[in-house]
Amino acid sequence: MSPGHVARGLVVTLALAPALLGLGACESSVDRQRAMICRRAVPALAPPDAEVRLLRIGAGATPDEIRVDYAVAGRSGQAARQRWVSCRFGPGAELLGLATEGGPVNGARLFLLRQYYLDTPEAAADDPGSRAAPADRTAR
């Protein structure tokens, strides 16, 4: 290759690098937002007055799913039980479905969770991810 071709190739590569890095940052931002939404659903699904401890946040069974593994213990010193929630997303961070070890969350409960809880200050305050980082954070 001539030095002119190499120089043009370098210029094109340098010109495209910010765009490619920007795409990666957007995906990372969406993944973080999806993980936050799924984490915030945990206290609403856990038994009342349970202590929630995150164990792992990672990819679910499909590319549009996030799975959160967590432990719940009663405040009266009950042994912790491991549970999980899988959140299915549409474009961006649109929550389309939830499933737990007990099965899928029905449409009415999902609607109420999305419309009246996930974006509230209470959900932010109860977010188990804001208190302690889980051992394995692998959000895709």
Side-chain angles (χ1 to χ4, degrees):
M1 283 191 134
S2 73
H5 283 90
V6 172
R8 271 186 248 133
L10 184 58
V11 168
V12 169
T13 301
L14 291 174
L16 291 176
L20 294 174
L21 290 173
L23 288 174
C26 290
E27 183 176 311
S28 176
S29 173
V30 169
D31 287 342
R32 282 193 305 273
Q33 190 174 8
R34 287 177 171 186
M36 179 196 65
I37 290 167
C38 203
R39 261 190 351 247
R40 284 186 176 184
V42 168
L45 300 169
D49 296 324
E51 290 185 34
V52 174
R53 183 172 49 93
L54 293 180
L55 302 173
R56 178 185 167 283
I57 301 170
T62 67
D64 290 328
E65 287 184 27
I66 296 287
R67 179 174 160 139
V68 176
D69 295 318
Y70 62 100
V72 293
R75 298 208 188 274
S76 61
Q78 283 179 322
R81 289 185 40 211
Q82 289 192 358
R83 295 184 165 192
W84 58 268
V85 61
S86 179
C87 303
R88 184 172 47 87
F89 293 91
E94 178 187 6
L95 181 62
L96 298 179
L98 280 174
T100 69
E101 67 282 347
V105 172
N106 70 32
R109 190 170 180 195
L110 178 62
F111 174 81
L112 292 172
L113 185 69
R114 281 192 335 223
Q115 293 297 116
Y116 299 106
Y117 180 71
L118 290 177
D119 289 330
T120 66
E122 292 81 13
D126 291 342
D127 182 348
S130 66
R131 292 189 294 271
D136 177 19
R137 277 192 106 108
T138 54
R140 291 200 281 186

